[in-house]
Amino acid sequence: MYGEILLKRALTGIAAAAVVLGSVSPMAFAATTTSGLTKAGQLPIVVNGSVLSNPYEMTGKDSGNTTAFFPVYYFNQALAKIGYTATWDGTTHTWAITAPGVTAAPVAGGVGTGNTTITVNGTVVKKINTQAAKDPAASKSAAATTYLPAFYVDEILQALGVNGTFSGQSGLKITGSVTNGAPQLSNLSFSGQLMGSGTSSSPVAQSTGNTVTASTTLTDANGNAINGINVTYTVTVLTGGQPTVTAGSQTLAYTGTGTDSNGKTYYTYSVPTDSTGVANITLGYSGNASYTLQASAPYSSNGVTVTSKTAYVEFGQPGSLLISPVSLTQGYSTPTNATAGLVPVTVTIIPAFAGQSVSNIPVQFTLTPGSGTSNFATSTGSYLAGAGNYTVNTDASGTATVYVNANANATATVSAQATVGGAVETSGTSSLTWQQAGTATQIKNTAGNDVTVGLNTKVTLSGQVQDANGNPVANAQILVTGDDGGDDDVSYVNGSTTTAFPNVGATTNTSLEGVLASSSFGDVVTTDANGNFSVVVTDSEAKAPTIQFWSVQNGYVANIPALWTVDTANSNAVTWSNASSSLNNVYVDTTVSGLVKSGAANDEYNKVTGLSLQSGTGGTIYAGAFAGSTPYTANGWTQYTISGTNHAEIDSVDGVALNGTGGLPNQPSSAIVNVKYTSGSISDVTVDGTDIFSNASFVPPSAGVGVDFVADASAIENDTFTITAGGYSATVQANFVAGQPYEQGNASPVTTSVAPGQTQTVTFTVEDKNGNPIPYGTIPLTTSGLVDADGNGLWISAVNGQQLTSNIPSIGTEPTPVPLFDAHTLTGIYDSVYASGAISASGIKSGVPTVQLYADQNGHVSVTFAAGGVGYWDSTDSTVKGTSSPLTGLTAYFSYNKGTGALVANNTDGGSNDIGTLQY
């Protein structure tokens, strides 16, 4: 494809601020009274993969039930590690958390009541009952410190938008950082719903045929809104079908689709942030359906993609029962932490008609165990009832909640029924699984798949391994297998060694469960401290092999389905193609005809150099993937990555502006352009996953990528644009220089005076329309109405420090200042003056002269004015004639002509473009 990608260079500024991390002693958070907390075991606090501390957990009574308590002091140490601070007011029992860039999210169950108020950036998010006890790890003389019920830890993390979780087995785990400059996404907020906040225990509920709007805000580390960045919403279908998704008045097409590790279909949609950093989408569906939503931004923090928390949305027919969660896998409870495996199962009744009351309706929940043992429980994890039925009445909003718990590996289903308006309604089924926390159960943030490349091209597949709660799993082992129908050509690459995947036959998503994870089956890789991994694969034949990723536990493939399958069945395959031979280079030129060379291509076409462009103008570069000297047009997708250095930005692709509308990014510094070929011609084009084919314009022959770029910002610099495809790259180097003179700035002094017969120097900068200084720029100087008084007016005696003199033959150097008035009556006055790099004046004998001033290498001009009293060379008698000083009380007003940059000296005010005055 020869399309067009418009690049420009822009100056951006990112404010930096220092973040002070508070450190306090345990006694600083102590409550005023103590109660009967007893010591339990120690639990680690892990921040970004590093163990911060191992405090003691306590047990005690909360609302009459025995539960676990966690020390606030150590919790705050963990928050400090990611840039948050906390203060404790012992008088008001207020625990105030300051979290830069965070909009406090609602907490399940609302604010509630309790002896302690928790605030996030001044917003009250929760009230709980804290208790005080002596820290078992503290000295004998240490005062008591404050403990909170462990049940609320996850809710506090949710309110803060922190990527973390608390488990009675693995302790507190937090990932991410705001002090490293990584942007942050707020938790999803919703509008338009009948009820619910979006948590698993309070899902957003809406009647079929209506819509709800989800919003998130992208901010930098200092809380400033980030505009024009594409936020990706991942919508996973738990029940029902693909929703209708809109942004504003535009219906969005999904930018990607696939199947997650639980076999659920997901769709991705791209929406740019607005000037306030907000990106929102609106969902609707015509039947019963349930979804999870998560937003992500194209940034990472310590290797972890910046995302929001997962939110839950449901649609139902009027009068129906919606159940949440539809499915959930998480850790189980322990004797020291009765809430680690506690699952709230919520049913929401959709009113059958407007105004119908859905409060105080009995809802019968049915718990059906699968494997293991599970039971109904209280909100604090205490045993309530075994398998069977349990009835709870709805609250005022039509929601009823039960809690289900398990103390070991287990599975169960929960369903519900209720009588609504005289009719018995039955909900769907909630499928629950409990297993040990910290086990690799899913792969997220995947990349590298769904591409077509030439034979033997190396492709990097990457992702992040997570446990059931969405926490990254550090040092997890993953078995990677590859199958291409038994040809043994698909291979994995480690350094310089390429190894064919063993021929283990066609595999299903479960066929390798329980086998020894070794090189007999494939490549065993280990995740880093943030759960991230990558593997390089290649194929020497035209195939789209099946590549699978399996969780390994204790050296064996875990008894769970493959975590990630890359193949044609999932519409995410890596396809190696030999069409038009193999992609083996990328070439660039300034014309289409120059790109497609006659005969064999060679390396000189891998780069374009020597481009010199004025800021505000641009040029065209065409780039294409080649197989030898032939454009590479293999059937399927070819991916081009475009990126620029310094302040390079991409303005448009194939004539379609990247202006933040229609799901496209807003002038990004890099973009991924996918080009699909069918029978040698372009059949589709996407930019960062958004389709632009219907609006794009192409220049034949259609094979490659075209690059139009323009510079319109305020910095003058050398930029390099890089275009990469199939592991091969080409570069374009452009030197952006200042444009034409447009205005003047930095005048000094702004207001001054010159005594009769004396001089005064005024300086200013010649600038283009973007404020760039113009080295060696040329501007005219025009005058009007300045008093001459027989040579007694203003003269220019020097420019840029150079005295205005002329070399008179046979005599020598004599003064030749330039008058700024009609001097034709002066005896023997010369007609022109020229000083290299300073001034050119002509027509002096004819009246007011025509004057050009020249800036120095930095765009600066300095002009020395004399108020009469100067000597000038008289050519009629070969003498220097003197002039008398002018009358006092006169003023010259200096301004500039906006558009040409001309310096104007008048005897009247120049208006809005004034740069100063000179009294003489």
Side-chain angles (χ1 to χ4, degrees):
M1 150 202 139
Y2 290 108
E4 296 184 6
I5 297 178
L6 191 63
L7 300 177
K8 77 174 186 179
R9 191 244 320 106
L11 178 67
T12 57
I14 300 176
V19 179
V20 179
L21 304 182
S23 178
V24 294
S25 64
M27 58 184 290
F29 286 91
T32 55
T33 59
T34 61
S35 59
L37 297 182
T38 57
K39 181 176 73 173
Q42 288 179 284
L43 290 174
I45 296 178
V46 182
V47 179
N48 292 324
S50 298
V51 177
L52 180 65
S53 57
N54 284 281
Y56 281 92
E57 189 183 38
M58 308 289 274
T59 58
K61 296 286 187 179
D62 181 44
S63 301
N65 299 295
T66 300
T67 189
F69 283 76
F70 193 73
V72 172
Y73 166 69
Y74 294 98
F75 192 0
N76 280 286
Q77 280 189 326
L79 294 180
K81 285 294 183 180
I82 59 170
Y84 300 164
T85 58
T87 58
W88 173 262
D89 187 331
T91 303
T92 62
H93 274 223
T94 299
W95 180 20
I97 301 173
T98 301
V102 170
T103 300
V107 174
V111 173
T113 59
N115 63 13
T116 296
T117 300
I118 304 173
T119 66
V120 174
N121 296 332
T123 300
V124 176
V125 296
K126 197 70 178 177
K127 290 186 178 182
I128 62 175
N129 288 313
T130 58
Q131 299 188 36
K134 185 175 179 180
D135 183 357
S139 65
K140 293 182 179 180
S141 59
T145 190
T146 302
Y147 289 79
L148 77 154
F151 176 79
Y152 296 109
V153 171
D154 279 343
E155 294 188 0
I156 297 170
L157 294 175
Q158 172 190 315
L160 290 170
V162 172
N163 185 11
T165 187
F166 179 82
S167 165
Q169 296 170 305
S170 57
L172 176 62
K173 289 185 177 180
I174 292 177
T175 58
S177 173
V178 296
T179 61
N180 64 358
Q184 301 291 304
L185 277 174
S186 68
N187 285 333
L188 298 181
S189 59
F190 292 88
S191 61
Q193 69 269 37
L194 289 174
M195 57 198 74
S197 62
T199 64
S200 60
S201 59
S202 180
V204 165
Q206 180 59 287
S207 57
T208 58
N210 292 306
T211 61
V212 295
T213 298
S215 300
T216 186
T217 302
L218 180 64
T219 55
D220 63 20
N222 301 306
N224 303 306
I226 301 178
N227 179 28
I229 298 298
N230 258 16
V231 169
T232 297
Y233 277 89
T234 299
V235 181
T236 302
V237 181
L238 303 180
T239 61
Q242 180 188 356
T244 299
V245 180
T246 60
S249 60
Q250 182 178 11
T251 299
L252 297 182
Y254 63 80
T255 57
T257 185
T259 304
D260 66 12
S261 58
N262 295 316
K264 301 297 183 181
T265 300
Y266 64 84
Y267 301 90
T268 58
Y269 302 86
S270 293
V271 183
T273 57
D274 62 17
S275 60
T276 64
V278 173
N280 56 53
I281 61 172
T282 299
L283 282 77
Y285 192 67
S286 58
N288 288 353
S290 57
Y291 308 96
T292 62
L293 273 69
Q294 186 180 51
S296 62
Y299 303 98
S300 63
S301 176
N302 296 318
V304 179
T305 298
V306 172
T307 64
S308 70
K309 286 284 189 179
T310 299
Y312 298 81
V313 176
E314 298 183 333
F315 293 89
Q317 297 288 348
S320 64
L321 275 61
L322 303 179
I323 194 166
S324 178
V326 173
S327 63
L328 181 69
T329 301
Q330 71 168 50
Y332 49 74
S333 296
T334 66
T336 59
N337 189 344
T339 61
L342 194 64
V343 179
V345 178
T346 300
V347 162
T348 302
I349 299 178
I350 303 295
F353 53 86
Q356 181 188 30
S357 174
V358 289
S359 65
N360 203 35
I361 296 177
V363 177
Q364 178 180 283
F365 290 87
T366 301
L367 171 62
T368 304
S371 62
T373 302
S374 53
N375 59 270
F376 289 109
T378 66
S379 61
T380 58
S382 298
Y383 182 89
L384 188 61
N389 299 328
Y390 191 83
T391 299
V392 177
N393 285 11
T394 59
D395 60 17
S397 63
T399 297
T401 300
V402 294
Y403 294 87
V404 183
N405 209 352
N407 297 316
N409 287 341
T411 60
T413 60
V414 180
S415 60
Q417 70 175 26
T419 300
V420 182
V424 176
E425 301 287 346
T426 302
S427 73
T429 299
S430 176
S431 299
L432 309 178
T433 300
W434 292 268
Q435 61 185 33
Q436 185 175 2
T439 300
T441 61
Q442 57 186 336
I443 293 177
K444 296 293 186 180
N445 307 326
T446 56
N449 55 313
D450 195 18
V451 294
T452 297
V453 297
L455 301 184
N456 299 306
T457 299
K458 297 175 183 177
V459 177
T460 300
L461 299 173
S462 62
Q464 184 186 63
V465 175
Q466 299 178 355
D467 66 12
N469 297 320
N471 303 304
V473 181
N475 303 314
Q477 284 193 319
I478 300 296
L479 173 66
V480 185
T481 61
D483 175 68
D484 60 358
D487 290 340
D488 298 337
D489 294 305
V490 61
S491 305
Y492 57 92
V493 181
N494 288 317
S496 60
T497 303
T498 300
T499 306
F501 280 106
N503 181 12
V504 296
T507 58
T508 66
N509 279 340
T510 59
S511 59
L512 291 186
E513 292 181 10
V515 305
L516 179 66
S518 69
S519 58
S520 297
F521 290 91
D523 188 21
V524 180
V525 298
T526 303
T527 63
D528 63 16
N530 297 301
N532 298 317
F533 73 91
S534 65
V535 62
V536 178
V537 292
T538 187
D539 203 326
S540 59
E541 289 195 0
K543 292 288 182 67
T546 297
I547 302 171
Q548 292 182 291
F549 298 77
W550 308 80
S551 175
V552 176
Q553 298 178 22
N554 301 317
Y556 291 85
V557 174
N559 291 320
I560 56 177
L563 304 185
W564 185 24
T565 298
V566 177
D567 61 7
T568 55
N570 285 287
S571 301
N572 65 354
V574 177
T575 302
W576 281 268
S577 173
N578 62 0
S580 301
S581 190
S582 298
L583 190 162
N584 60 11
N585 227 322
V586 175
Y587 300 118
V588 288
D589 208 294
T590 55
T591 64
V592 174
S593 59
L595 177 63
V596 184
K597 307 293 182 181
S598 59
N602 55 62
D603 284 345
E604 70 177 308
Y605 307 136
N606 289 134
K607 56 184 177 293
V608 170
T609 59
L611 290 180
S612 181
L613 303 169
Q614 287 186 352
S615 178
T617 64
T620 300
I621 290 293
Y622 295 90
F626 275 73
S629 60
T630 304
Y632 181 77
T633 58
N635 282 346
W637 292 93
T638 296
Q639 184 177 94
Y640 293 87
T641 300
I642 317 294
S643 62
T645 60
N646 297 325
H647 303 104
E649 293 183 346
I650 303 172
D651 251 11
S652 68
V653 173
D654 293 335
V656 179
L658 304 189
N659 56 9
T661 63
L664 292 170
N666 190 2
Q667 299 175 344
S669 60
S670 64
I672 295 176
V673 181
N674 282 306
V675 183
K676 187 176 184 179
Y677 299 100
T678 302
S679 300
S681 298
I682 296 172
S683 57
D684 205 357
V685 181
T686 66
V687 177
D688 287 352
T690 297
D691 198 289
I692 66 166
F693 183 69
S694 60
N695 297 323
S697 57
F698 305 103
V699 180
S702 298
V705 172
V707 179
D708 280 350
F709 55 92
V710 62
D712 69 349
S714 57
I716 303 301
E717 63 191 17
N718 291 313
D719 288 339
T720 298
F721 304 109
T722 302
I723 302 96
T724 301
Y728 299 92
S729 297
T731 59
V732 179
Q733 295 177 353
N735 179 29
F736 291 105
V737 299
Q740 296 297 320
Y742 181 81
E743 59 188 2
Q744 296 171 18
N746 303 317
S748 177
V750 174
T751 299
T752 189
S753 62
V754 55
Q758 303 299 312
T759 62
Q760 174 64 53
T761 299
V762 175
T763 64
F764 57 89
T765 302
V766 181
E767 300 175 347
D768 66 10
K769 68 185 301 181
N770 298 307
N772 300 310
I774 303 176
Y776 308 110
T778 302
I779 61 166
L781 185 156
T782 63
T783 64
S784 176
L786 297 185
V787 176
D788 54 17
D790 295 326
N792 300 332
L794 279 180
W795 297 70
I796 298 177
S797 61
V799 177
N800 296 340
Q802 185 178 166
Q803 293 295 320
L804 301 188
T805 60
S806 296
N807 185 30
I808 309 300
S810 302
I811 294 179
T813 300
E814 298 295 345
T816 52
V818 175
L820 295 183
F821 50 87
D822 184 350
H824 77 279
T825 60
L826 295 181
T827 303
I829 193 70
Y830 34 84
D831 193 53
S832 63
V833 174
Y834 175 75
S836 178
I839 191 172
S840 173
S842 61
I844 297 174
K845 287 183 177 181
S846 303
V848 178
T850 299
V851 180
Q852 301 281 341
L853 300 174
Y854 304 109
D856 64 13
Q857 69 272 21
N858 298 311
H860 301 156
V861 178
S862 67
V863 183
T864 301
F865 297 98
V870 300
Y872 71 92
W873 174 252
D874 182 348
S875 60
T876 60
D877 59 7
S878 299
T879 61
V880 175
K881 290 291 189 353
T883 62
S884 59
S885 300
L887 300 173
T888 59
L890 303 178
T891 300
Y893 295 89
F894 291 93
S895 60
Y896 63 87
N897 185 307
K898 197 164 190 175
T900 66
L903 179 64
V904 180
N906 286 335
N907 63 345
T908 57
D909 193 333
S912 61
N913 294 331
D914 263 350
I915 60 174
T917 59
L918 177 64
Q919 295 179 347
Y920 61 102

